[in-house]
Amino acid sequence: MRKILVLVLALSAVAVNTSCKKEINKIGNTVLKSNLSDANAIIDFNNNFLDSYKSSTDNIESILKYSQAAETKAKGGRVLIMPMVINIRDFNISKIKEIPSGFGKDKNAIEKDFNTYKAKIESIRKKSEELKSYINAEDYKDDSGAKAERLNKEIEAEAQAFYIVGESIITKIKPATDLAEEEILKDHPMKKYIISSKGIINLLDSTMEILEKQYTGGFNESVAKNKYDELEKAVGNNEKLDFNVTDSQYSSKKTQFESVNTKARNFLDNYRKLIRNSKETGTISDGDIRSLDSSYESVLSSYNSFVK
């Protein structure tokens, strides 16, 4: 199971003060030459990349299911229905014309990773098309499924490389993205609601990371419960915020802000169920982790709608 990190603010049209931040170069290894143009370019890159990563991940996960089933079928195994490959057109990757200069000395490393990222996507798609042609023509009857086995292994290896380089890009762009968000949000009327809600998303990310490790490595009730308590407190604090933004451009966002809290509360409901069930069995079930993953995506979707 692969988590896609949170999509961050898409507020490039917001008018904010463009004065420079002090001691900005002390944060991480990135120097953001702080002006509105740099901040917007970084936010745009971040959003376009993360949208691309999510759609490409969905596509690649469907290809992996198909390639595994194809190998089984080609080698004489029973496959009732071949999985469908989700062909999601990645329009966002074409929006990225260059790596913003605001990433400073990390720019070249990000560009190198991004080129690898694009190459892996193309390689996986080409190999999947080759595999589909092989299966449709029933060429496995000529080689007892040898080509399907080879292509499946190659697709799995390329997919793993895709995930690694995708996560690497996200790690590299995060320091500058956080600073760019800070710059853009500086005078924004929804600042406190966005920051508080993003805190929930960050906790959800770390929660899912912990639970996914426990899903494969064994359930730890104490760790899971401590994370639940931390998240419940954050959700409660967010619910206490009175959304009283008077700016007509943002006053309608109240419903979306409330939706974030409602979906987050539903996540907590499913989280309690997971803890209860896992405590009894010592393991996290497929159904419980899928249910929590679905709840996570629901909160994330509400948050993205709120900040866009």
Side-chain angles (χ1 to χ4, degrees):
M1 187 178 299
R2 174 72 47 176
K3 284 315 309 167
I4 304 300
L5 301 184
V6 59
L7 296 174
V8 299
L9 312 177
L11 298 172
S12 57
V14 176
V16 297
N17 191 311
T18 59
S19 61
C20 290
K21 291 284 183 184
K22 294 182 179 179
E23 301 181 338
I24 228 165
N25 58 329
K26 291 186 178 180
I27 301 182
N29 295 319
T30 301
V31 179
L32 176 62
K33 296 178 180 178
S34 184
N35 59 55
L36 187 57
S37 177
D38 284 338
N40 284 338
I42 287 171
I43 292 295
D44 285 344
F45 175 86
N46 183 83
N47 287 339
N48 288 330
F49 175 74
L50 289 176
D51 280 339
S52 167
Y53 189 38
K54 185 179 190 323
S55 61
S56 292
T57 295
D58 290 343
N59 183 220
I60 288 170
E61 286 182 351
S62 70
I63 288 173
L64 286 168
K65 290 177 182 177
Y66 178 88
S67 68
Q68 291 162 3
E71 179 181 352
T72 299
K73 180 175 182 176
K75 296 176 78 172
R78 188 182 181 201
V79 178
L80 294 177
I81 300 176
M82 288 295 291
M84 293 289 293
V85 173
I86 303 173
N87 291 311
I88 301 173
R89 297 193 65 181
D90 187 354
F91 295 105
N92 295 285
I93 200 169
S94 63
K95 295 178 183 178
I96 301 174
K97 306 301 182 183
E98 61 182 1
I99 309 302
S101 59
F103 285 118
K105 66 180 183 181
D106 288 334
K107 179 178 182 293
N108 291 338
I110 294 169
E111 185 170 24
K112 181 180 178 181
D113 278 354
F114 186 59
N115 289 333
T116 300
Y117 170 84
K118 291 187 289 185
K120 295 304 174 186
I121 292 173
E122 186 62 22
S123 174
I124 292 168
R125 287 178 179 167
K126 284 183 177 179
K127 290 180 186 297
S128 72
E129 289 301 319
E130 184 179 358
L131 181 57
K132 282 192 284 186
S133 174
Y134 170 85
I135 293 296
N136 291 339
E138 298 185 350
D139 291 334
Y140 50 84
K141 293 180 178 179
D142 299 327
D143 67 353
S144 301
K147 186 174 182 178
E149 181 179 6
R150 174 178 62 80
L151 285 173
N152 183 38
K153 288 181 180 178
E154 290 176 0
I155 288 171
E156 287 179 343
E158 291 288 79
Q160 184 61 25
F162 163 83
Y163 291 133
I164 290 172
V165 76
E167 302 286 342
S168 175
I169 292 171
I170 290 170
T171 299
K172 287 183 174 72
I173 68 178
K174 187 179 187 303
T177 301
D178 288 345
L179 290 172
E181 287 182 335
E182 181 183 343
E183 178 70 18
I184 287 176
L185 278 177
K186 188 164 52 180
D187 299 317
H188 197 278
M190 295 202 307
K191 178 178 179 179
K192 69 177 178 180
Y193 309 105
I194 290 172
I195 291 176
S196 179
S197 297
K198 188 183 177 185
I200 291 175
I201 298 298
N202 288 338
L203 282 173
L204 286 173
D205 284 338
S206 60
T207 296
M208 291 305 300
E209 183 178 353
I210 287 171
L211 292 178
E212 285 169 6
K213 289 179 180 178
Q214 292 190 11
Y215 170 66
T216 55
F219 179 66
N220 186 317
E221 181 186 1
S222 176
V223 172
K225 185 62 169 61
N226 286 341
K227 203 65 185 176
Y228 175 91
D229 292 341
E230 185 180 3
L231 180 59
E232 184 182 39
K233 180 179 179 180
V235 173
N237 289 337
N238 212 42
E239 290 172 329
K240 291 175 184 176
L241 292 177
D242 180 23
F243 193 91
N244 58 0
V245 177
T246 57
D247 189 321
S248 59
Q249 185 179 357
Y250 303 107
S251 57
S252 62
K253 289 284 187 178
K254 179 178 181 179
T255 300
Q256 293 169 332
F257 174 69
E258 291 172 346
S259 177
V260 172
N261 293 327
T262 299
K263 299 296 177 60
R265 188 57 66 179
N266 183 63
F267 181 95
L268 288 171
D269 292 344
N270 285 308
Y271 197 173
R272 289 198 305 277
K273 178 182 176 183
L274 180 148
I275 291 174
R276 185 184 304 110
N277 292 343
S278 302
K279 180 180 178 180
E280 294 177 358
T281 63
T283 59
I284 297 176
S285 71
D286 293 345
D288 283 343
I289 198 69
R290 280 198 301 265
S291 178
L292 209 60
D293 182 68
S294 177
S295 292
Y296 169 94
E297 295 292 345
S298 183
V299 182
L300 183 57
S301 178
S302 291
Y303 171 78
N304 288 336
S305 296
F306 171 54
V307 300
K308 286 185 177 180

